Amino acid sequence: TLGEQHPEIAATYTNIGNILDSKGKHDKALQMYKKALKIQLATVGEKHPTTAIAHNNLADTYKATGDYQKAVESFHRALQIFTATLGPQHPDTATARSNLAAVCEDVTHFLGLLVAAARQLKR
């Protein structure tokens, strides 16, 4: 048997998380992604591309649940790891940069809507 801390177990948790996420079961997906990240940290460490992928998976799901603060934090961590391990020009780094920019754009749009709503209330 592989044991609870084996990277293949982390991959299995990730796959289960992907299925749950695609079915809109974001809370359960987050549980699976967190388990995968914990194993990645224990086996390959923080500075590894698979750990960045785990952070990215969490970020996608946080974004889907509307937890933009955690999404930004997780996308940022994924970008830092990809940049450090694969370099700034690598396609995975570029994707991470794009993911972070997209969630920041969503937050900016949301804040703009809040400002507009507040102005309407003052009238």
Side-chain angles (χ1 to χ4, degrees):
T1 65
L2 297 177
E4 183 64 23
Q5 293 296 311
H6 194 279
E8 289 298 321
I9 301 298
T12 300
Y13 283 137
T14 297
N15 290 335
I16 294 169
N18 290 342
I19 292 166
L20 291 167
D21 212 20
S22 72
K23 296 191 173 295
K25 297 179 180 182
H26 303 302
D27 289 337
K28 290 182 180 182
L30 283 171
Q31 291 174 2
M32 294 296 111
Y33 291 145
K34 287 176 183 178
K35 287 182 178 186
L37 176 59
K38 184 177 178 183
I39 294 169
Q40 294 298 349
L41 291 170
T43 57
V44 297
E46 179 69 23
K47 301 261 182 182
H48 194 276
T50 57
T51 303
I53 292 168
H55 283 290
N56 192 76
N57 290 335
L58 281 168
D60 276 332
T61 306
Y62 285 134
K63 181 180 174 186
T65 65
D67 191 339
Y68 292 109
Q69 180 177 347
K70 287 184 180 176
V72 167
E73 291 168 2
S74 295
F75 277 135
H76 185 256
R77 190 67 198 123
L79 177 58
Q80 288 176 320
I81 296 167
F82 279 132
T83 302
T85 58
L86 302 177
Q89 302 303 318
H90 192 278
D92 289 345
T93 305
T95 298
R97 192 177 303 110
S98 176
N99 290 342
L100 180 58
V103 76
C104 289
E105 185 176 315
D106 290 348
V107 169
T108 301
H109 177 73
F110 179 71
L111 290 174
L113 293 174
L114 285 176
V115 169
R119 286 183 184 145
Q120 290 294 327
L121 290 173
K122 287 183 179 182
R123 291 183 182 175

